[in-house]
Amino acid sequence: MSEKSSQTTEELILKTAINISSLHGLEGLTIGQLANAMSMSKSGVFAYFGSKEQMQLNILDKVVEIFIEEVIHPARTAQSYMLIWNYCDRWLGYIERDVFPGGCFVLSAASEFIGHSGIVHDKVVKINQDWVTSLGNAVQQAIDNAQLSPELDVEQLVFELNALTIGANWAYKTLSNQQATQLARRAIWQRLNDFTITDDALPPN
């Protein structure tokens, strides 16, 4: 098997694994289930991962790669105040586009691995913490650039913004509330505007 075809097969396996585990959970996905979906032998699929734990880690790595392409890189075309907005807007957009059939993959994994221990749990926690840190850095940058009030509590605002996006994901997927993402955007605009100290920093309505 050539390197190119091997990489293509691995990408297809990971894509299938992500789609299945997005709906049924990382723990719910088995080598056998993935082999059936790929019309491959268990040993053929196992050869790409070596263990279920490694399969879960590889899936998370690919999910993060997709998230960066869908949210982080496009958002970073802006700076300071608008970077905060772009992060939240792109995050909500990736929910609306059904990038993962089960909604935000990392949020689902976080709920699934609550109370667990081990390398997969630690990786899920780090992915979520990296997102919160990115939001916090964007808020602090906007304060430093005199676009947001220096009086605001960075940790509090980041908590609220993150909670709004998480709530939108839950309502959009669990309750099939198609307005959830727009409601979240409206609330995010309002929270940012509450602390804006420059007129040119206001996001579009």
Side-chain angles (χ1 to χ4, degrees), residues 174-194:
T174 304
L175 303 180
S176 298
N177 182 351
Q178 299 299 303
Q179 301 302 313
T181 50
Q182 288 303 324
L183 292 172
R185 283 188 176 93
R186 189 181 306 164
I188 290 166
W189 286 344
Q190 185 58 58
R191 292 305 291 144
L192 292 177
N193 286 336
D194 286 345

Side-chain angles (χ1 to χ4, degrees), residues 5-197:
S5 62
S6 176
Q7 290 176 342
T8 300
T9 300
E10 184 172 1
E11 285 293 317
L12 289 172
I13 291 173
L14 278 175
K15 181 178 180 180
T16 302
I18 287 169
N19 287 337
I20 294 173
S21 53
S22 175
L23 294 170
H24 303 290
L26 280 171
E27 288 287 77
L29 176 64
T30 66
I31 297 288
Q33 185 181 26
L34 185 53
N36 287 335
M38 291 295 300
S39 297
M40 294 174 63
S41 66
K42 289 184 181 180
S43 60
V45 172
F46 188 82
Y48 284 96
F49 304 111
S51 68
K52 181 174 180 178
E53 181 179 76
Q54 189 58 53
M55 178 177 68
Q56 292 172 335
L57 292 172
N58 287 13
I59 288 170
L60 288 170
D61 283 339
K62 186 61 179 179
V63 164
V64 170
E65 180 183 314
I66 293 170
F67 183 82
I68 289 172
E69 292 175 355
E70 291 281 337
V71 178
I72 301 299
H73 283 168
R76 284 181 176 167
T77 58
Q79 295 182 352
S80 298
Y81 182 97
M82 289 305 297
L83 177 59
I84 308 167
W85 166 250
N86 278 10
Y87 274 150
C88 296
D89 181 52
R90 291 293 307 186
W91 195 100
L92 293 167
Y94 120 109
I95 297 302
E96 293 167 331
R97 293 191 300 278
D98 294 320
V99 174
F100 302 115
C104 179
F105 195 104
V106 175
L107 288 181
S108 297
S111 297
E112 185 179 0
F113 280 84
I114 289 175
H116 288 219
S117 61
I119 190 171
V120 178
H121 166 271
D122 294 346
K123 189 176 188 68
V124 171
V125 171
K126 184 180 185 304
I127 293 169
N128 279 279
Q129 186 57 57
D130 285 348
W131 166 247
V132 171
T133 298
S134 293
L135 277 178
N137 289 341
V139 171
Q140 186 60 57
Q141 184 184 53
I143 294 172
D144 294 343
N145 290 342
Q147 292 182 314
L148 291 180
S149 170
E151 303 302 319
L152 75 84
D153 185 326
V154 174
E155 184 177 1
Q156 179 67 34
L157 179 59
V158 170
F159 177 85
E160 292 177 12
L161 297 179
N162 192 44
L164 285 166
T165 53
I166 291 172
N169 176 74
W170 179 81
Y172 191 86
K173 286 298 182 180
T174 304
L175 303 180
S176 298
N177 182 351
Q178 299 299 303
Q179 301 302 313
T181 50
Q182 288 303 324
L183 292 172
R185 283 188 176 93
R186 189 181 306 164
I188 290 166
W189 286 344
Q190 185 58 58
R191 292 305 291 144
L192 292 177
N193 286 336
D194 286 345
F195 298 108
T196 302
I197 57 177

